[in-house]
Amino acid sequence: MAETNPPPEAAVVELLGLLAYAELVAFDRMAADARLAPDLQRRAVLSEMAAREIDNYCRLADRLRELGTDPEEAMAPFVQPLQEYHAKTEPNDWLEALTKAYIGEGLADDFYREIAGFLQSPDRELVLDVRHESRFEEFSATEIRDAIAADPKVANRLSMWARRLSGEALSQAQRVAMAHADLVALVMTADGEQAVNLFKKLTSAHSARMTSVGLNN
Amino acid sequence: MAETNPPPEAAVVELLGLLAYAELVAFDRMAADARLAPDLQRRAVLSEMAAREIDNYCRLADRLRELGTDPEEAMAPFVQPLQEYHAKTEPNDWLEALTKAYIGEGLADDFYREIAGFLQSPDRELVLDVRHESRFEEFSATEIRDAIAADPKVANRLSMWARRLSGEALSQAQRVAMAHADLVALVMTADGEQAVNLFKKLTSAHSARMTSVGLNN
């Protein structure tokens, strides 16, 4: 159990560096995606979602400094895979932007919740706390459902898009995992069962999220 | 005095609409400008400044709704002049981006402080409250001073840039004023003295801000 064997500090620093950069780049992309909004009110909601990512970034960076690590250094190894994920999943319109926020934030939150179980205080609470507010998920879900209700063909297009998002996320996650043994060790037991469980949980929650807004896996 | 003659609600709604859209578009531009940062830490600071603009937007939009006005409608008349200001002042590098934030936020804060004097509660407090945190001003000022110390030629280039910023701001402000008599009436007395005083105060504070970081008016 994580409680009895505290994770090595190097792994925690890697994890916080990964999360910090993920928040920083999510801010950047979401702020840009907000321009795709059909009106100012919707644009403001996506902008607000972006702003919350920066608040979270600040908390993660503060914690890294507390641990004696320069956030910039801790984030550096994750710049390329995360930039690549975003470069390969640039939304072309408002619905793609929202689907990306919905799928991406959902996956991130599930990952944060699961990974927190392997951490000790105060990192456990920090990681649980930087998850997204549910009102944003509800907003995105409603927009997607409404769009599909208005034009059922939208479901196919967005389903394909969502599969591309999760595919790219998975391939960048594998890349990160291969380069960061410490990070993987956080969730890895001798038999590898924990890692397999984590993967199963994440994919089944992702599927449920897709279904709940009318998208097909 | 503003206290004895409350400003007409139409003027307050116009003012809040102007401020709300100014915050929304400042978020958008600042978030994009953050990409010009030379490192992730600086990028995070500008991103954080952007995030605060959205927080302020939300408060202004909430107040508009409270007054029975759709924020989108209240903002609409100000979209074009503010977009134009930003389109004409797109920074080419990090120092231009910071100078824009420093000059623009400074001017905005001075304007907010002055205009608040013409409002009644709770709008007076709201407008005073959505001003920027001084730590951001200090950050920008330090970056500009350091850059000039490292290379004195930078002062000339940034001075020209700052003059362009204030010139564009002034020309868009005039355009807004000409189209919004209610808004102008907020600060206008029969003899026009208040408006002249406001203009004097804003320009002298702007000059002081320029001088304090080593830029020439």
Side-chain angles (χ1 to χ4, degrees):
Chain A
M1 292 297 291
E3 280 83 356
T4 50
N5 278 329
E9 191 167 298
V12 174
V13 164
E14 282 198 340
L15 177 69
L16 297 179
L18 167 62
L19 302 191
Y21 188 69
E23 301 278 2
L24 190 56
V25 75
F27 163 82
D28 175 84
R29 293 308 178 125
M30 229 175 248
D33 292 351
R35 295 185 182 183
L36 298 168
D39 55 47
L40 293 177
Q41 205 198 314
R42 286 181 167 86
R43 180 168 137 192
V45 179
L46 202 60
S47 302
E48 211 189 332
M49 289 168 81
R52 294 292 79 74
E53 310 280 354
I54 274 296
D55 296 341
N56 291 336
Y57 162 81
C58 291
R59 297 183 60 188
L60 293 159
D62 284 347
R63 176 62 182 149
L64 281 164
R65 281 185 211 102
E66 221 174 84
L67 292 169
T69 306
D70 175 16
E72 178 113 24
E73 250 170 64
M75 292 190 286
F78 306 106
V79 169
Q80 220 196 327
L82 280 160
Q83 290 273 27
E84 211 158 297
Y85 166 73
H86 285 287
K88 286 185 176 164
T89 57
E90 226 167 292
N92 290 305
D93 61 22
W94 173 242
L95 283 172
E96 287 189 4
L98 267 193
T99 304
K100 182 173 172 181
Y102 174 73
I103 296 291
E105 297 206 337
L107 264 172
D109 286 347
D110 290 338
F111 176 69
Y112 289 14
R113 196 186 49 241
E114 295 301 326
I115 205 87
F118 300 102
L119 301 174
Q120 294 201 311
S121 284
D123 299 304
R124 167 183 292 211
E125 289 75 18
L126 173 61
V127 168
L128 286 174
D129 225 48
V130 296
R131 288 176 302 164
H132 302 89
E133 295 164 57
S134 57
R135 68 185 170 106
F136 291 131
E137 181 174 351
E138 283 152 25
F139 170 79
S140 309
T142 305
E143 290 276 300
I144 298 168
R145 280 192 207 105
D146 289 353
I148 293 174
D151 175 7
K153 280 196 306 292
V154 165
N156 259 338
R157 177 167 75 84
L158 291 184
S159 298
M160 269 175 26
W161 170 244
R163 285 197 293 274
R164 186 162 133 207
L165 293 170
S166 58
E168 282 299 337
L170 192 63
S171 99
Q172 296 306 329
Q174 280 173 332
R175 191 172 149 190
V176 166
M178 280 169 63
H180 299 274
D182 283 351
L183 207 50
V184 175
L186 259 184
V187 295
M188 193 61 98
T189 42
D191 58 3
E193 204 188 319
Q194 275 185 341
V196 173
N197 280 344
L198 174 64
F199 183 75
K200 273 191 195 159
K201 277 187 193 164
L202 294 182
T203 48
S204 92
H206 168 71
S207 297
R209 210 161 19 242
M210 297 271 283
T211 310
S212 106
V213 292
L215 302 179
N216 317 307
N217 286 285
Chain B
M1 294 297 292
E3 280 84 356
T4 50
N5 279 327
E9 191 168 296
V12 174
V13 164
E14 283 199 339
L15 176 68
L16 297 178
L18 166 62
L19 302 191
Y21 187 69
E23 301 279 0
L24 190 56
V25 75
F27 163 82
D28 174 85
R29 293 308 178 124
M30 230 176 246
D33 292 351
R35 295 185 181 185
L36 298 169
D39 55 48
L40 292 178
Q41 204 198 315
R42 286 182 168 85
R43 181 168 136 192
V45 178
L46 201 61
S47 302
E48 210 190 331
M49 288 167 81
R52 294 293 77 76
E53 310 280 354
I54 275 296
D55 296 341
N56 291 336
Y57 163 81
C58 290
R59 298 184 58 189
L60 292 159
D62 284 348
R63 175 62 182 150
L64 281 164
R65 280 185 212 101
E66 221 174 86
L67 291 169
T69 306
D70 176 15
E72 178 113 23
E73 250 170 64
M75 291 190 286
F78 306 106
V79 169
Q80 219 197 326
L82 280 160
Q83 291 272 28
E84 210 159 297
Y85 166 74
H86 285 288
K88 287 187 175 163
T89 57
E90 226 168 292
N92 290 304
D93 62 22
W94 173 242
L95 283 172
E96 288 189 4
L98 268 193
T99 304
K100 182 173 171 179
Y102 174 73
I103 296 291
E105 297 206 337
L107 264 172
D109 286 348
D110 290 339
F111 176 70
Y112 289 15
R113 196 184 50 240
E114 295 300 325
I115 205 88
F118 301 101
L119 302 175
Q120 293 200 314
S121 285
D123 299 303
R124 167 182 294 211
E125 290 74 19
L126 173 62
V127 168
L128 286 174
D129 225 47
V130 296
R131 287 175 304 163
H132 302 88
E133 294 165 59
S134 56
R135 67 186 171 104
F136 291 131
E137 182 174 350
E138 283 152 24
F139 170 79
S140 308
T142 305
E143 290 276 300
I144 298 168
R145 280 191 207 106
D146 289 354
I148 293 175
D151 176 7
K153 282 197 304 294
V154 164
N156 259 339
R157 179 167 73 86
L158 291 185
S159 297
M160 268 172 30
W161 170 245
R163 285 196 292 273
R164 187 162 132 208
L165 293 170
S166 58
E168 281 300 337
L170 192 63
S171 99
Q172 296 305 329
Q174 279 173 332
R175 192 173 147 189
V176 166
M178 279 169 65
H180 299 275
D182 283 351
L183 207 50
V184 175
L186 259 184
V187 295
M188 194 59 99
T189 43
D191 57 4
E193 205 189 320
Q194 276 184 340
V196 173
N197 280 344
L198 173 65
F199 183 74
K200 273 190 195 159
K201 276 187 194 167
L202 294 183
T203 49
S204 90
H206 168 70
S207 298
R209 210 160 22 242
M210 297 271 283
T211 310
S212 105
V213 291
L215 301 179
N216 317 308
N217 285 286

